[in-house]
Amino acid sequence: MKIDILIDDVQIKEELQKKLDNQWSEMLFLWDIEEMEKRMCMGRTKLNEWFLKDPRMERHMRRKSNGKKWWFYKESIETMKEIMDEW
């Protein structure tokens, strides 16, 4: 008796990515520019140029009197997707 199992690497990667994204979105409430750089695989200059100077992203930013800047995670991700859809 022989059993053949076909594995679709692309589908497995997509499913794993979805699960990881769900875990991140449940865990993260806020993120800073350092975390954005890591998660988006993008440098600070491009993040500022393409996303952070956009008024839609500025709505999600919080800062306490010249302190560190923080963005709401879920809201900023959705806004980044909107911005990218306009490219």
Side-chain angles (χ1 to χ4, degrees), residues 35-43 47:
E35 188 65 29
M36 282 184 196
E37 288 175 318
K38 285 188 265 181
R39 300 268 299 140
M40 299 287 291
C41 300
M42 196 176 289
L47 278 171

Side-chain angles (χ1 to χ4, degrees), residues 70-85:
W70 296 88
W71 289 264
F72 292 111
Y73 180 74
K74 285 184 182 180
E75 293 85 348
S76 61
I77 287 292
E78 289 303 315
T79 301
M80 287 175 158
K81 288 178 185 176
E82 287 176 22
I83 293 168
M84 291 175 79
D85 286 342

Side-chain angles (χ1 to χ4, degrees), residues 5 14 38 49 52 54-55 57 67-69 71 85 87:
I5 299 174
E14 287 174 359
K38 285 188 265 181
E49 180 183 335
L52 302 181
D54 191 295
M57 277 297 285
K68 187 174 184 173
K69 294 179 181 179
W71 289 264
D85 286 342
W87 291 353

Side-chain angles (χ1 to χ4, degrees), residues 8-9 15 61:
D8 184 356
D9 292 346
E15 288 298 318
M61 192 264 295

Side-chain angles (χ1 to χ4, degrees), residues 1-73:
M1 176 181 221
K2 181 180 177 184
I3 299 175
D4 289 327
I5 299 174
L6 297 174
I7 298 175
D8 184 356
D9 292 346
V10 174
Q11 186 176 6
I12 290 172
K13 287 178 184 177
E14 287 174 359
E15 288 298 318
L16 286 173
Q17 189 62 48
K18 284 180 189 177
K19 290 185 184 286
L20 286 171
D21 288 342
N22 286 338
Q23 289 295 322
W24 270 106
S25 66
E26 290 173 8
M27 290 172 31
L28 287 179
F29 174 64
L30 297 170
W31 62 340
D32 61 4
I33 193 154
E34 287 86 10
E35 188 65 29
M36 282 184 196
E37 288 175 318
K38 285 188 265 181
R39 300 268 299 140
M40 299 287 291
C41 300
M42 196 176 289
R44 188 173 301 222
T45 303
K46 291 299 177 190
L47 278 171
N48 276 313
E49 180 183 335
W50 293 342
F51 298 107
L52 302 181
K53 293 193 181 212
D54 191 295
R56 294 171 286 182
M57 277 297 285
E58 290 176 355
R59 287 190 308 237
H60 307 304
M61 192 264 295
R62 298 296 183 267
R63 181 179 185 174
K64 187 174 180 180
S65 61
N66 293 327
K68 187 174 184 173
K69 294 179 181 179
W70 296 88
W71 289 264
F72 292 111
Y73 180 74

